Amino acid sequence: MTGSGEFTFDGTAVPFDTGDHLLTALVRVGIHPTGGGTLCAEGHSPHCVAEVDGSAYVHTCQTLAREGMVVRAHPTGAPPVLPSIASPERPVAVRNIHHEVIVIGGGESGRAAAAAAGAPIVDAKDGSEAIGIYPGPMVAVRTDDGMVHAHVNRVVVATGALPLLPVCPGNDLAGLYTPMAAERLTAAGVDLGQTVRITGPPDRFEGDIRVRSVVVGGERIECDAVIVDIGTTPNEVLARMGAGLAIDTVGDAATAASPPPCPVEGTVCPCNETTMAELAEAWARGFTSMELLKRASLAGTGVCQGAVCSPYLQSFIADRTGSVEAPFTARPVARQATLSEIAAGRHHPAVPRTSLHAIHEAAGATMDRLGGWWRPWMYSDVGAEYDAVRNAVSLGDVGTLGKFIVSGPDAEAALQRLISTDVSTIRPGRSRYVLMLDERGYVLDDGMILREPEGDRFFVTVTSGGASVAEMWFRDWTAHLNVRWMNVTMALGAINVTGPRAPELLARVGFDETLPMLQHTESDIANVPCRVVRLSFTGEVSFELHHPFARSGELWHALLDAGADLGVVPHGLDALSRLRLEKGHIIVGQDSDYDSTPRRLHHDWMVNLDSGNFIGRHAVERTNRLALDKQLVGLESEGPAPFEGAVAWTPDGEYAGYVTSAAWSPTLDRSVMLAWIRLADGELPEEVWIEGESARRVALPFYDPAGTRARG
Amino acid sequence: MAEFAVVRERIAAVRIAATPTALDAARWPADATELRLAPDEVLLLDVLDAAAPEPHAIVFPDTGWVRFVLSPAAGTRVFEGAATWPPPAHGLGQGAIAGIPAKVIVNTDCWWLVVQGVLADDFEDRLVEVLA
Amino acid sequence: MSLRIRCPHCGPRSVEEWVHGEIPVVPDAIADPDARDVDRGYMHTNEHGVVREAWFHLSGCRRWVTLWRDSRTDEWVEPPG
Ligand SMILES: [Zn+2]
């Protein structure tokens, strides 16, 4: 042996020879990594695990020693300390491979199976270790270069047999080895001292920290080390992970060994320190089958997944029932893995960016992830953005809205079914604010329906972030109808031009039609083909311009250039949420909850019970007969705006509800809120207390109740 | 490293929703690359317009797609490192690549990866990472 | 991690590409449309056996796919009958 070096174990320098595994070097200097327990040197026994360079549960028998490694024993009676996240590991690469069959294990039976199926072999001895089988099936393999994910139709498990580890008093002493461990350690030049080989189950091991004697069949033998040669058990933990998957187990892994004699006492599950006495106690409490016994005693739920205890649980049960139960199922992974290894090949959900994203960033906007999109929260001055909408003109990026085109002979019938309004009364060129309910009568989403001049075509918008759910909902409910749906959410940009001077600005860029409220038309604006929709979410005159995704930038800049002297600036979500709150407009998902009926939301005016069998109609009729228990109401106070989610109390100190939206209104010079408030004796309270301030219940909207400003 | 270079380009496209039988029977402009997204939906790349294959069809000029052009070697590497499904031997495949919904078109001399523009920046970052 | 679901249009794809939908089948014996809504909304069962499942292929064709699965073995099975 040449090139020896040193690593540390709990701060003590440990010398090693080139080619030593950590365990070999430790045992050579008389250290047992976990204090005691039978060592197998094959990566199965849980008794050799330690923290290595910050990773816990590393099998020291499988890890080559390297200069300067820092090895630490796991704390006794407590889980190992998690690694610090201050220095995240480099992502682990993954290589996806696709085969019909893969064979795990390169022994005789594995090679035969691979030859028969023309399949590749995964073998830990060759540096590729299968650590888990997942549905698919997918075999996760760890290699020196990262993870391999093998996507296959069938897995052959040919992982051979495991040595039985002893269960008896004293099985947690140091100095106990399987034949393979003794052979490997001796071959590496480790002196095990006076050794004794036992071939039958021991009565007990005796000693203090290290074994000093073993008692077998009533006979005591003095020794420094015991080679425990008491048989094997199939190594099929990988196969046990794949309930319902196409897995064949072959060779020794498939050979059902008769369980060993049932031990009388001792630790049966070293991972969780479960004793035979605790098994008996769980059995007495009625946990009398394999899976129940496992859960009640925790035996088999540790990192080794039953490598020690599984055959003994079988014999324990067989002793009491007379029949041998199959071993319990296992869960990936079969080996300790780092979070980086588990995360290999995984990605964060990508958050979409609107057609104007780069322009917002260039304008210095604070971007945030809201409603499933990157959106501008504020450009530079929320007050100025608010003022531009209320007093001049402003642009808002509403490209995040869910957008659909609907066509076909049954298009109207489809929408009648999905929407709680009478769609047949929406005339060509007109639009309507609508609700979608689920079967329980709860509000799923809100949006706009526009009927095209052709009559049998519609354009539908839904809440930002709601497009995919809406698409699933639409397609599910209307599959039997003669209707075409196209989700154009990602294909259109949309800009809201809003404020008292919006018509003036649009006239300068080519749109001088008088478009009444809730009507829509198509027009070229600044040479960009636009669908123009007259509506209002901010409370001021507003035009939504839906246009081709790739043309957003030129339209945006044309509007800003044309309106510079009008004071046009863009507004972000912060300003918009204040503006809409002053108008009492809800945001579905923020102000609504999963049990929001239209009546509870104060939106029952949007439900037309004469419009046929729309989804949720029956539930609305039924819940309308029940006493109203809570309602979304408007509150205002002189104090600062409370946090969204703040609790409201009655003047008597009873819980009254909570705030869903709150903002200081510069126009009204007070705080305005939407809140869920309980009814007491059929009445809503006139006053509640929120964060120590009195809040009055007022009619909605707070701002411009007559709606004259939005109509222009 | 030109072998693993990524070229990003906007594409003209037309998306059509129509009955499956009408789409089966339709003849598209000669320049178009046809991607059958679903039995009742087709995406035509590199054209500006197309005739409606049936009276109720939705024909929608769609500027919301971005194409990445890769060498076959780079395409293979992207699939190995970032897709859990095998690429098609030729023509269209669709599914998640690097966690993002994508279309792959395997041509003889190059591969196209087509994604929605709203996710193209993230997709490009992930392509660069897997090809690094 | 990667349950594979067969899309008749796109091919087999891992579960991350899909959204599972609850589409309980309302018995034909329930004829009244409103009663069918109620059954669909509230009367979900959790069969120990072959169940009909709906999956939406979000990262592919964006269409619903109906599949049958044996909830005892987690295996995909052919449609009954
Ligand atoms: Zn699909």
Side-chain angles (χ1 to χ4, degrees):
Chain A
M1 307 260 176
T2 57
S4 53
E6 270 183 6
F7 63 89
T8 63
F9 182 80
D10 281 347
T12 305
V14 177
F16 67 86
D17 292 330
T18 302
D20 271 355
H21 290 99
L22 290 171
L23 180 71
T24 313
L26 289 168
V27 174
R28 189 182 285 123
V29 297
I31 295 173
H32 188 297
T34 59
T38 311
L39 297 170
C40 77
E42 293 180 88
H44 302 299
S45 160
H47 298 297
C48 79
V49 295
E51 183 190 311
V52 178
D53 288 343
S55 289
Y57 296 114
V58 175
H59 281 277
T60 54
C61 70
Q62 302 292 299
T63 309
L64 287 171
R66 285 198 314 273
E67 181 67 32
M69 270 180 160
V70 178
V71 184
R72 297 196 301 179
H74 288 176
T76 345
V81 179
L82 286 172
S84 160
I85 57 166
S87 53
E89 292 175 61
R90 231 181 129 267
V92 171
V94 68
R95 193 160 61 85
N96 289 282
I97 60 173
H98 306 267
H99 292 286
E100 177 61 27
V101 181
I102 196 164
V103 176
I104 304 172
E108 195 178 321
S109 56
R111 289 197 304 274
I121 293 176
V122 173
D123 194 318
K125 292 185 195 70
D126 307 329
S128 51
E129 184 182 26
I131 65 168
I133 301 180
Y134 294 84
M138 190 277 274
V139 181
V141 181
R142 177 164 51 204
T143 74
D144 290 342
D145 303 328
M147 300 298 293
V148 172
H149 288 177
H151 307 272
V152 297
N153 287 328
R154 195 159 61 88
V155 184
V156 177
V157 173
T159 41
L162 292 175
L164 268 177
L165 303 191
V167 174
C168 65
N171 67 348
D172 53 352
L173 292 171
L176 312 178
Y177 306 97
T178 65
M180 177 64 80
E183 186 187 319
R184 288 191 178 167
L185 289 167
T186 309
V190 178
D191 180 7
L192 298 179
Q194 178 66 41
T195 60
V196 166
R197 174 181 293 258
I198 59 169
T199 53
D203 300 343
R204 61 183 178 275
F205 300 104
E206 295 172 337
D208 185 2
I209 294 168
R210 301 191 58 83
V211 68
R212 290 287 160 232
S213 54
V214 55
V215 181
V216 189
E219 185 196 348
R220 170 179 290 106
I221 311 164
E222 307 282 326
C223 60
D224 299 320
V226 181
I227 299 169
V228 185
D229 187 6
I230 54 173
T232 61
T233 186
N235 177 19
E236 31 58 302
V237 61
L238 286 166
R240 285 191 279 123
M241 277 173 202
L245 301 180
I247 298 176
D248 298 332
T249 313
V250 301
D252 288 346
T255 311
S258 55
C262 180
V264 182
E265 49 179 322
T267 299
V268 63
C269 168
C271 301
N272 288 310
E273 295 175 355
T274 307
T275 62
M276 291 305 294
E278 283 164 336
L279 282 193
E281 187 195 318
W283 186 271
R285 283 189 289 141
F287 299 102
T288 55
S289 72
M290 183 64 79
E291 296 289 347
L292 293 178
L293 196 58
K294 169 184 170 180
R295 283 157 179 78
S297 70
L298 299 185
T301 62
V303 286
C304 82
Q305 302 242 17
V308 178
C309 68
S310 167
Y312 294 110
L313 287 186
Q314 284 185 304
S315 55
F316 176 87
I317 293 173
D319 252 25
R320 282 155 181 78
T321 64
S323 62
V324 178
E325 260 199 74
F328 44 74
T329 56
R331 300 280 180 276
V333 288
R335 285 283 182 275
Q336 86 291 342
T338 65
L339 289 176
S340 295
E341 285 168 340
I342 295 294
R346 315 286 292 182
H347 293 89
H348 293 286
V351 178
R353 303 168 188 201
T354 73
S355 52
L356 293 163
H357 186 91
I359 289 173
H360 301 322
E361 283 189 324
T366 308
M367 303 300 290
D368 205 345
R369 281 168 288 194
L370 298 154
W373 290 79
W374 281 108
R375 306 184 74 176
W377 176 247
M378 192 182 75
Y379 292 86
S380 55
D381 179 349
V382 64
E385 294 167 30
Y386 172 96
D387 287 342
V389 176
R390 284 276 178 261
N391 302 318
V393 59
S394 175
L395 307 183
D397 180 357
V398 291
T400 55
L401 290 167
K403 303 177 272 299
F404 296 88
I405 298 171
V406 196
S407 166
D410 292 339
E412 184 181 300
L415 292 170
Q416 284 286 32
R417 181 84 174 110
L418 292 163
I419 304 291
S420 69
T421 191
D422 188 352
V423 176
S424 71
T425 60
I426 303 174
R427 284 179 283 144
R430 302 299 175 96
S431 61
R432 190 175 295 167
Y433 172 52
V434 296
L435 290 182
M436 275 196 296
L437 309 181
D438 68 13
E439 310 97 312
R440 300 159 185 81
Y442 301 145
V443 173
L444 201 64
D445 207 345
D446 64 354
M448 298 290 297
I449 291 188
L450 287 62
R451 191 194 282 266
E452 303 286 18
E454 294 93 323
D456 64 346
R457 282 180 188 239
F458 297 85
F459 184 78
V460 177
T461 65
V462 298
T463 303
S464 299
S468 285
V469 170
E471 183 178 2
M472 289 183 238
W473 189 250
F474 294 162
R475 293 197 188 281
D476 182 11
W477 281 99
T478 63
H480 61 292
L481 296 175
N482 190 352
V483 60
R484 335 265 178 274
W485 291 98
M486 188 182 283
N487 183 345
V488 291
T489 304
M490 313 296 198
L492 289 174
I495 296 170
N496 185 26
V497 185
T498 180
R501 304 189 81 171
E504 198 178 338
L505 170 57
L506 288 176
R508 292 183 184 183
V509 286
F511 183 77
D512 53 7
E513 288 177 46
T514 307
L515 188 67
M517 189 68 168
L518 292 177
Q519 296 197 24
H520 59 97
T521 188
E522 291 188 5
S523 179
D524 282 358
I525 296 183
N527 298 317
V528 175
C530 290
R531 172 193 302 281
V532 187
V533 191
R534 177 77 193 278
L535 42 69
S536 185
F537 191 55
T538 62
E540 307 298 336
V541 175
S542 303
F543 300 83
E544 266 179 21
L545 311 180
H546 296 260
H547 56 273
F549 185 88
R551 311 279 309 262
S552 290
E554 59 186 286
L555 180 58
W556 182 266
H557 287 306
L559 290 163
L560 286 180
D561 291 349
D565 62 306
L566 302 178
V568 64
V569 293
H571 62 270
L573 262 281
D574 191 2
L576 181 65
S577 62
R578 292 160 196 255
L579 292 157
R580 66 90 199 176
L581 178 56
E582 289 177 343
K583 286 298 291 180
H585 291 309
I586 61 164
I587 295 176
V588 170
Q590 173 169 340
D591 301 302
S592 68
D593 213 328
Y594 287 106
D595 65 349
S596 299
T597 58
R599 189 170 58 136
R600 282 174 174 161
L601 263 185
H602 231 305
H603 278 56
D604 31 355
W605 57 274
M606 294 180 68
V607 176
N608 184 342
L609 289 171
D610 299 326
S611 75
N613 187 32
F614 60 84
I615 300 161
R617 185 175 76 106
H618 183 271
V620 168
E621 287 174 335
R622 188 173 48 76
T623 54
N624 279 351
R625 291 195 294 271
L626 305 172
L628 186 61
D629 55 348
K630 60 180 176 180
Q631 203 157 30
L632 190 73
V633 303
L635 301 173
E636 55 181 40
S637 87
E638 311 304 327
F643 289 107
E644 288 166 358
V647 170
W649 306 92
T650 69
D652 302 332
E654 299 280 322
Y655 175 84
Y658 62 94
V659 174
T660 61
S661 292
W664 178 259
S665 166
T667 304
L668 303 170
D669 197 28
R670 53 186 173 255
S671 289
V672 294
M673 296 159 244
L674 291 173
W676 283 106
I677 299 296
R678 288 181 176 180
L679 283 80
D681 303 322
E683 297 287 334
L684 285 164
E686 296 301 323
E687 181 195 28
V688 291
W689 286 79
I690 299 165
E691 290 180 354
E693 298 278 348
S694 167
R696 292 173 306 282
R697 184 166 61 82
V698 295
L700 293 171
F702 304 99
Y703 173 77
D704 185 27
T708 48
R709 294 189 64 89
R711 281 193 298 276
Chain B
M1 288 303 286
E3 189 185 17
F4 294 118
V6 171
V7 176
R8 171 175 168 162
E9 56 191 36
R10 277 196 168 161
I11 22 178
V14 175
R15 194 146 51 106
I16 300 168
T19 60
T21 39
L23 291 181
D24 288 345
R27 289 284 168 273
W28 307 118
D31 302 344
T33 299
E34 177 193 352
L35 309 185
R36 190 70 172 261
L37 303 184
D40 56 356
E41 189 171 11
V42 71
L43 179 66
L44 304 178
L45 300 182
D46 300 316
V47 288
L48 292 169
D49 208 353
E54 49 111 344
H56 298 285
I58 303 167
V59 179
F60 181 85
D62 190 340
T63 60
W65 298 93
V66 168
R67 172 166 52 204
F68 294 87
V69 183
L70 286 75
S71 68
T76 305
R77 170 102 71 110
V78 166
F79 266 75
E80 257 189 16
T84 61
W85 48 288
H90 196 79
L92 170 70
Q94 57 183 355
I97 298 176
I100 290 173
K103 324 290 173 196
V104 59
I105 299 95
V106 175
N107 304 308
T108 313
D109 53 342
C110 67
W111 290 27
W112 296 349
L113 300 181
V114 175
V115 299
Q116 281 169 317
V118 294
L119 295 170
D121 289 354
D122 280 312
F123 191 69
E124 184 170 4
D125 290 347
R126 294 174 187 194
L127 282 187
V128 168
E129 191 177 306
V130 74
L131 290 172
Chain C
M1 197 179 212
S2 56
L3 178 69
R4 256 193 305 180
I5 299 163
R6 276 168 303 186
C7 177
H9 187 75
C10 309
R13 294 291 184 273
S14 68
V15 70
E16 291 88 351
E17 298 197 4
W18 299 80
V19 175
H20 178 255
E22 277 189 303
I23 307 209
V25 180
V26 180
D28 290 342
I30 303 173
D32 175 65
D34 295 344
R36 291 182 69 81
D37 270 359
V38 171
D39 190 83
R40 192 182 143 109
Y42 293 93
M43 303 299 173
H44 296 192
T45 55
N46 190 8
E47 292 290 341
H48 191 59
V50 173
V51 292
R52 195 185 100 131
E53 292 190 341
W55 293 82
F56 189 80
H57 193 190
L58 195 65
S59 298
C61 58
R62 298 184 74 94
R63 296 298 184 276
W64 285 103
V65 170
T66 304
L67 294 164
W68 278 260
R69 185 175 60 90
D70 190 328
S71 67
R72 295 163 297 191
T73 61
D74 208 19
E75 279 172 300
W76 301 114
V77 297
E78 292 302 311

